[in-house]
Amino acid sequence: MAEAPTVEALLERLLERDRSAVAPALNLVDDRRTEPARAANELLDRLEAALYESDPGRRRVGLTGAPGAGKSTLLDALVRRLRSQGETVGVVAVDPSSRRTGGALLGDRVRVRSSARDDGVFFRSMAARDRLGGLAEGTRAAATVLEAVFDVVLVETVGVGQSEGDVQPLVDTLTYVAQPGAGDLLQFMKAGILELPDVFVVNKADQGAAAQRTLRELEAGLGLGASHEDGWRAPVVAVSARDGTGIDALLEALAAHHAHQAESGRRAERRRQGRDAFVRGALQHRYGSHGMAALGGEPALLARLEGDANATGFGLVQELGREIEEALAKPRPRRP
Amino acid sequence: MVDKAGTDRDRPWVFRTYSGHSSAEASNALYRTNLAKGQTGLSVAFDLPTQTGYDADHPLARGEVGKVGVPVAHLDDMEALFREIPLDRMNTSMTINATAAWLLALYVAAAERQGVAPEALRGTTQNDIVKEYLSRGTYVFPPEPSIRLISDMVAYTVHAIPSWNPINICSYHLQEAGATPVQEIAYAMANAIGVLDAVRDRGDVPDDVIPQVFARISFFLNAGIRFVEEICKARAMAELWDELGRDRYGVTDAKLRRFRYGVQVNSLGLTEAQPENNVIRIVLEALGVTFSKKARCRALQLPAWNEALGLPRPWDQQWSLRIQQILAYETDLLEYEDLFDGSHVVEARTEELRKEAKEELDRVLAMGGAVAAVENAYMKQRLVESHTRRVRAIESQEQTVVGVNAFTEAEPSPLVEGEQSILVVDDSAEREQVERLRAFRSRRNQADVDTALRGLRDALSNGDNVMPPSIRAAHAGVTTGEWSDTLRDLYGEYRAPTGVSAQGAAAGDDGMQDVRERVGALADRLGRPLKILVGKPGLDGHSNGAEQIAVRARDVGMEVVYEGIRLTPEEIARSARDEGVHVIGLSILSGSHGVLVLDVLEALRSDGTDVPVVVGGIIPDDDAERLLEAGVKRVYTPKDFDLGRIMDEVVDVVEETAGLG
């Protein structure tokens, strides 16, 4: 295997938006061995810090929905349209891992046919592996690397309720893809996370009456709930990824959400919340409630997150992690 | 029929050999020799560029021209293919699907040049797009326009070429993809219903012609080595077909409800080890589809004994033709009524298959029919599952394959000694075809071509039948690539679901624990789980092998990127780098491994991607040697049936490359 590039070199190339640095950077941030993991964390910390200052035009969009909702076809149509508008696109697609064997089949999806010769598209598939925290951490790292180089980052996951909660903190706009037929919608409403997505898509609009019914149900369902805290009302867009209808309307809805966030100052705030959720999740995952207690519990964590408003998520996980490890290593002071 | 000895005999089925290679001229010579040897019909194998709608000079055609069949790019090619073969007296079967309307148009135009009217033509266009999505992989357009093209051809031929079979519903490839007999029957019937419903609902033919349309639907079956069950399968299909005609389509004339089918006996079960044994397999499989008069095939093509080794030579094909002739002319098979009527064993098994198939058929119909069950991957997933079970049964020796997993002790076969035990297509075939194509393009009238292509586009946009403007285009000098591009522009291109993702690993002790542990241990040393790219470069769509590798790799704990068929070497190289894989597995069955594998290696090198490559396919020893010299790490051929061992070696390769070996 070729010599691994240094963190310094990778960082420089990524910030120059050098496409050829993306794959080695993604390989590095996926590496669990001690030394590469340390290097990866340094890279991600510095990259995220640089991105705080970066062009607010760049954005991360999550695409989630039940299996069979047609997310991949929709993704394909979205990438084509974005490319035709001159925007570069990085895609990270997460597929489930087999619980029993740890193996995974990735990329059983429609791929963007033009991508082989188009440097403006990058596709990386990932296995969810052990889902607790794993999905959020790996996906966040990949999205951070891709965001350095591409205008739009699309994160595709199979949503069966919980993963929306995992993906939401790491994207600026969460899109939920429903298909005609109310079954999955009902599940979704039961799960009580109807308020998470920023944009709803009813795919397969070419199926006529069934799609119209789902559209109406969704609109009615959303009408019952309150709009998002920042005054955004999630629109419902009917598309047919197959024949391309509604793709423009969807892009407009995504752009409208982006503009709304920029105006309301909500984008920065949401990224902060996303960072906090990530830090909390990662620490929980690594050290459990015992570790959190050693840090001083939730109030202490909140204070630290408040205080370090400009620190990156990756940096905080590293720093607080070290503190937890030290605290756990210390003998407990005996009370008199 | 009364033979020379005065015995009352049935007329034999049509004898065919699936053949074609290199060029129209070379294939024509082969056809005429075969006919002189007593073959009674022709079965045209087209090369992959022709099947997928590319001219020989298209980048995707590289390495594939003239390989698995004959290249036919324009009317002169078609004319040369049938030179001195009077088309009014020939029964021609064409294995052509996505571009079937175009090849039929060329055939009609070539007949007209011979002075033969379309009404006089007899033959079959395979034209079954559903099984292309499921197994064979030479689809081009999405399901909806594909079905429209089929419906157009049905509507056209029922009047203009009344003895033509516009579609041959293929259960053959379903069995190759893993189908059990029940699945083979059910999915073929679902497919036929999809076509018939489309023709009926589109109103392309008047209602009173539907019985004629029903009667023109023929089938193409596979005959496997379990030949008793195969007899029952054909009988069950005949019964179900009769039932469908009567109940679903109101066909009152029993003659029009006859189940008509042709057969290619199983090529998948032919072994590379002790290949002479294949002759016995072929004979038994041929018996399975001729034994029962009630369910006897109308046409039969037998593979050659050495197909698992490479392309058969004329002598190899002759040997298979002789099997048919001995069966039909020497034995007393054709002197009797049905031998199995009244056999309670055969009748019970037939009824069992019919009943189970009907249930599975109803499931598919309930989810919206064959096209819906392609798009939601239901049928494909069922097939991949069955195939996985079959592969495992052979590995675990639960299913005996003589010479492969049992009785492997053998003398060297004198039949495979020597240099030329298979046919090698001359590398000049591609260059010469490109030259002929360019010469043809320069001598035709471009204005006529432009007008014809505009006419084709307008007709399709208006919803008119595809056949008349295609026949005009054939006469005007349009090429296969141009015709197909026009349709690609209108309809777009389709990629079918691969069917590998949904199912879980088999439970219990599957004998893979050791490999799984190695994969797990290697992940710790690599820093992340072993990631493999399984890719099929080129136009070959036979994805069953690649799918089995993908499923097994997942089951031993690898993370598998599988992107389906028809990838260019550049796409594979880019995917390998972007996805960060540790190893690439390529599968190629079309014989174009020489060019395509080297192109992948070159694309990787020029990208600076240092990822090892292993290759599987029908690859002769000499070629394997060359690939290894070029840098391929391992080469696998059909005799490597033990997927567990292949996985173990993939781990070796990754360890060696990472310097962890």
Side-chain angles (χ1 to χ4, degrees):
Chain A
M1 289 246 165
E3 196 73 14
T6 63
V7 167
E8 207 62 50
L10 272 179
L11 184 69
E12 192 178 319
R13 284 162 65 198
L14 287 173
L15 292 176
E16 283 166 3
R17 311 190 78 172
D18 175 357
R19 189 188 192 280
S20 74
V22 176
L26 290 173
N27 294 346
L28 178 67
V29 303
D30 200 17
D31 200 322
R32 298 182 304 232
R33 289 172 297 181
T34 316
E35 185 43 32
R38 193 207 53 76
N41 210 75
E42 183 191 339
L43 175 71
L44 288 166
D45 180 23
R46 293 173 63 183
L47 200 53
E48 196 178 349
L51 288 174
Y52 278 154
E53 330 269 302
S54 78
D55 173 11
R58 297 190 202 171
R59 55 199 201 271
R60 300 178 185 177
V61 177
L63 216 55
T64 180
K71 292 182 297 299
S72 303
T73 318
L74 179 62
L75 186 86
D76 181 63
L78 271 179
V79 171
R80 279 170 203 268
R81 202 59 64 91
L82 286 166
R83 288 301 295 135
S84 73
Q85 296 176 358
E87 297 204 76
T88 60
V89 190
V91 180
V92 48
V94 187
D95 282 303
S97 296
S98 155
R99 261 158 221 248
R100 212 173 72 77
T101 70
L105 273 163
L106 312 170
D108 182 15
R109 64 188 75 244
V110 180
R111 288 296 174 90
V112 183
R113 290 299 312 200
S114 61
S115 64
R117 282 180 197 84
D118 181 4
D119 278 342
V121 179
F122 190 103
F123 204 105
R124 178 83 163 203
S125 39
M126 291 176 53
R129 298 184 194 155
D130 112 50
R131 206 200 66 83
L132 284 171
L135 171 69
E137 252 181 275
T139 316
R140 187 181 179 86
T144 304
V145 170
L146 288 172
E147 191 185 5
V149 177
F150 299 97
D151 299 329
V152 181
V153 176
L154 296 175
V155 179
E156 185 203 346
T157 56
V158 177
V160 277
Q162 276 181 304
S163 75
E164 289 82 2
D166 287 339
V167 178
Q168 199 258 1
L170 63 94
V171 296
D172 303 316
T173 304
L174 180 65
T175 310
Y176 181 81
V177 186
Q179 62 177 333
D184 63 319
L185 187 63
L186 199 69
Q187 289 306 316
F188 193 51
M189 293 172 82
K190 259 198 264 178
I193 36 181
L194 206 55
E195 63 271 15
L196 283 181
D198 305 293
V199 175
F200 288 88
V201 173
V202 177
N203 201 1
K204 308 186 184 178
D206 46 297
Q207 288 183 5
Q212 284 306 316
R213 199 166 55 240
T214 304
L215 194 74
R216 281 195 305 275
E217 282 171 4
L218 246 180
E219 277 170 342
L222 290 169
L224 296 175
S227 56
H228 289 201
E229 50 188 275
D230 58 354
W232 173 256
R233 265 190 178 277
V236 186
V237 188
V239 308
S240 165
R242 210 153 90 174
D243 62 25
T245 41
I247 299 296
D248 283 327
L250 172 57
L251 280 179
E252 277 164 31
L254 295 176
H257 184 248
H258 185 66
H260 171 84
Q261 284 194 308
E263 280 160 28
S264 62
R266 182 62 194 136
R267 179 175 181 266
E269 194 184 327
R270 174 148 168 182
R271 287 210 165 188
R272 257 284 300 284
Q273 287 170 355
R275 180 202 71 163
D276 295 356
F278 162 68
V279 172
R280 183 175 289 111
L283 293 177
Q284 275 282 4
H285 175 57
R286 288 185 197 173
Y287 305 104
S289 48
H290 185 54
M292 297 296 272
L295 193 67
E298 181 65 19
L301 177 64
L302 269 181
R304 293 296 299 273
L305 291 172
E306 291 275 315
D308 286 330
N310 291 322
T312 73
F314 296 105
L316 277 170
V317 170
Q318 183 85 342
E319 187 184 320
L320 297 175
R322 208 163 33 231
E323 287 178 26
I324 291 174
E325 283 168 24
E326 280 165 15
L328 289 176
K330 254 187 235 158
R332 272 158 205 266
R334 286 195 322 183
R335 285 181 178 270
Chain B
M1 158 177 166
V2 178
D3 70 5
K4 287 179 199 126
T7 326
D8 236 1
R9 294 173 70 88
D10 289 320
R11 189 208 291 270
W13 54 92
V14 177
F15 307 158
R16 289 187 175 124
T17 308
Y18 182 55
S19 56
H21 67 88
S22 302
S23 67
E25 207 176 22
S27 303
N28 174 261
L30 177 66
Y31 294 168
R32 284 191 284 141
T33 323
N34 286 349
L35 291 169
K37 287 175 183 165
Q39 190 176 295
T40 54
L42 290 176
S43 171
V44 183
F46 293 100
D47 73 356
L48 287 167
T50 306
Q51 294 188 49
T52 50
Y54 296 104
D55 286 339
D57 54 355
H58 190 281
L60 268 173
R62 193 170 138 70
E64 307 273 18
V65 177
K67 279 278 162 49
V68 301
V70 56
V72 174
H74 45 70
L75 184 51
D76 285 5
D77 277 349
M78 191 59 108
E79 199 182 22
L81 188 61
F82 294 104
R83 189 156 292 142
E84 290 174 43
I85 299 174
L87 292 181
D88 51 344
R89 276 177 281 147
M90 190 39 56
N91 189 327
T92 307
S93 166
M94 294 193 264
T95 298
I96 195 74
N97 296 278
T99 54
W102 172 242
L103 272 300
L104 178 60
L106 284 174
Y107 191 75
V108 168
E112 285 172 348
R113 272 201 185 170
Q114 278 192 3
V116 172
E119 303 88 84
L121 297 176
R122 274 180 310 138
T124 304
T125 31
Q126 191 169 79
N127 208 14
D128 169 3
I129 205 68
V130 166
K131 69 92 175 48
E132 294 296 328
Y133 296 134
L134 291 176
S135 163
R136 196 167 166 274
T138 69
Y139 52 82
V140 177
F141 315 114
E144 209 177 287
S146 295
I147 295 286
R148 175 235 158 116
L149 292 174
I150 294 169
S151 180
D152 276 1
M153 286 175 70
V154 170
Y156 173 81
T157 54
V158 77
H159 298 297
I161 323 179
S163 298
W164 196 265
N165 301 312
I167 177 169
N168 209 6
I169 303 279
C170 297
S171 74
Y172 176 86
H173 310 82
L174 304 180
Q175 186 178 114
E176 295 239 309
T180 62
V182 166
Q183 289 169 334
E184 199 183 328
I185 301 169
Y187 299 163
M189 293 293 155
N191 189 355
I193 289 171
V195 171
L196 282 164
D197 283 4
V199 173
R200 185 189 58 194
D201 300 345
R202 286 171 53 88
D204 288 335
V205 300
D207 282 353
D208 59 343
V209 183
I210 289 290
Q212 272 72 44
V213 169
F214 186 86
R216 289 323 307 165
I217 305 281
S218 58
F219 288 77
F220 185 58
L221 270 56
N222 201 330
I225 193 69
R226 292 170 56 82
F227 76 110
V228 178
E229 191 173 60
E230 294 294 47
I231 294 171
C232 302
K233 179 185 81 187
R235 289 169 74 99
M237 287 179 96
E239 286 177 18
L240 255 182
W241 187 240
D242 183 71
E243 207 176 295
L244 274 174
R246 195 187 55 226
D247 300 346
R248 192 177 177 104
Y249 298 103
V251 182
T252 47
D253 182 349
K255 271 213 307 267
L256 299 181
R257 299 198 304 262
R258 272 190 204 149
F259 180 66
R260 299 177 309 120
Y261 74 102
V263 170
Q264 156 97 21
V265 310
N266 194 320
S267 291
L268 180 74
L270 302 185
T271 62
E272 185 185 356
Q274 303 177 28
E276 62 279 1
N277 298 343
N278 292 327
V279 173
I280 295 104
R281 295 192 176 98
I282 293 167
V283 171
L284 292 171
E285 289 164 350
L287 257 190
V289 289
T290 52
F291 229 168
S292 162
K293 181 175 177 178
K294 250 191 187 168
R296 183 171 297 150
C297 63
R298 302 288 174 118
L300 180 58
Q301 46 195 46
L302 300 181
W305 65 281
N306 55 351
E307 277 194 6
L309 307 176
L311 275 184
R313 301 158 297 180
W315 180 83
D316 305 314
Q317 296 198 329
Q318 173 189 309
W319 200 6
S320 289
L321 176 62
R322 296 298 183 240
I323 295 174
Q324 300 212 43
Q325 290 165 331
I326 291 168
L327 202 53
Y329 299 133
E330 283 191 24
T331 76
D332 54 353
L333 178 68
L334 294 177
E335 293 169 17
Y336 296 95
E337 289 307 301
D338 195 287
L339 298 173
F340 300 95
D341 273 357
S343 154
H344 61 269
V345 176
V346 166
E347 275 169 11
R349 182 67 184 131
T350 301
E351 176 53 21
E352 203 171 58
L353 288 173
R354 194 198 63 80
K355 194 164 151 285
E356 286 175 34
K358 183 75 175 27
E359 287 164 12
E360 180 68 3
L361 171 63
D362 288 342
R363 263 192 293 277
V364 171
L365 293 178
M367 61 183 76
V371 169
V374 165
E375 293 188 319
N376 70 12
Y378 171 79
M379 292 195 288
K380 182 72 184 176
Q381 281 167 11
R382 293 291 88 75
L383 293 177
V384 172
E385 281 165 16
S386 312
H387 200 187
T388 303
R389 273 197 296 277
R390 182 159 77 190
V391 169
R392 294 221 171 108
I394 294 174
E395 277 180 80
S396 65
Q397 296 174 355
E398 190 181 310
Q399 183 177 332
T400 300
V401 184
V402 172
V404 172
N405 65 3
F407 315 112
T408 49
E409 192 62 37
E411 304 297 330
S413 167
L415 285 179
V416 290
E417 280 173 3
E419 293 276 294
Q420 290 289 314
S421 59
I422 50 163
L423 183 79
V424 179
V425 174
D426 198 341
D427 280 343
S428 61
E430 181 160 328
R431 187 172 37 81
E432 287 169 13
Q433 176 67 9
V434 170
E435 280 164 15
R436 269 192 302 276
L437 176 70
R438 294 198 169 136
F440 177 85
R441 284 203 199 109
S442 66
R443 69 173 176 268
R444 66 188 184 172
N445 182 331
Q446 190 59 42
D448 289 354
V449 170
D450 295 343
T451 310
L453 286 173
R454 247 194 325 275
L456 174 66
R457 173 176 262 281
D458 291 347
L460 289 174
S461 311
N462 295 337
D464 297 340
N465 194 296
V466 67
M467 287 309 301
S470 297
I471 296 168
R472 280 196 292 276
H475 280 297
V478 165
T479 67
T480 299
E482 291 163 343
W483 184 89
S484 309
D485 282 346
T486 304
L487 272 70
R488 265 190 274 263
D489 274 355
L490 276 173
Y491 299 143
E493 283 185 76
Y494 188 68
R495 297 194 81 185
T498 62
V500 295
S501 68
Q503 47 150 354
D509 177 22
D510 50 13
M512 289 187 288
Q513 201 49 42
D514 290 349
V515 191
R516 208 173 284 134
E517 276 164 19
R518 280 193 76 195
V519 171
L522 184 58
D524 291 338
R525 295 199 287 161
L526 290 169
R528 60 196 173 102
L530 198 165
K531 198 171 182 184
I532 180 173
L533 174 75
V534 178
K536 278 195 72 62
L539 295 174
D540 165 36
H542 292 84
S543 54
N544 306 325
E547 284 150 8
Q548 291 306 313
I549 292 286
V551 168
R552 182 59 61 93
R554 188 270 318 266
D555 287 351
V556 298
M558 300 183 193
E559 295 184 349
V560 187
V561 180
Y562 175 56
E563 298 176 299
I565 62 166
R566 229 178 287 166
L567 301 169
T568 64
E570 293 76 26
E571 283 172 317
I572 289 172
R574 158 133 334 175
S575 207
R577 189 187 60 186
D578 289 359
E579 291 283 7
V581 301
H582 297 101
V583 57
I584 300 172
L586 299 178
S587 160
I588 309 177
L589 297 177
S590 66
S592 49
H593 43 264
V595 174
L596 291 172
V597 173
L598 297 184
D599 282 0
V600 170
L601 293 176
E602 180 52 38
L604 287 167
R605 253 193 299 276
S606 73
D607 264 3
T609 308
D610 182 19
V611 175
V613 174
V614 301
V615 178
I618 298 179
I619 299 171
D621 288 349
D622 292 353
D623 292 8
E625 207 57 48
R626 266 194 293 280
L627 292 179
L628 292 169
E629 274 165 30
V632 169
K633 298 296 181 200
R634 298 280 192 284
V635 175
Y636 299 101
T637 66
K639 71 173 177 299
D640 301 300
F641 66 93
D642 185 344
L643 296 186
R645 191 177 62 79
I646 293 178
M647 289 303 138
D648 211 41
E649 293 188 15
V650 166
V651 176
D652 291 342
V653 166
V654 173
E655 282 183 350
E656 286 158 23
T657 310
L660 299 169

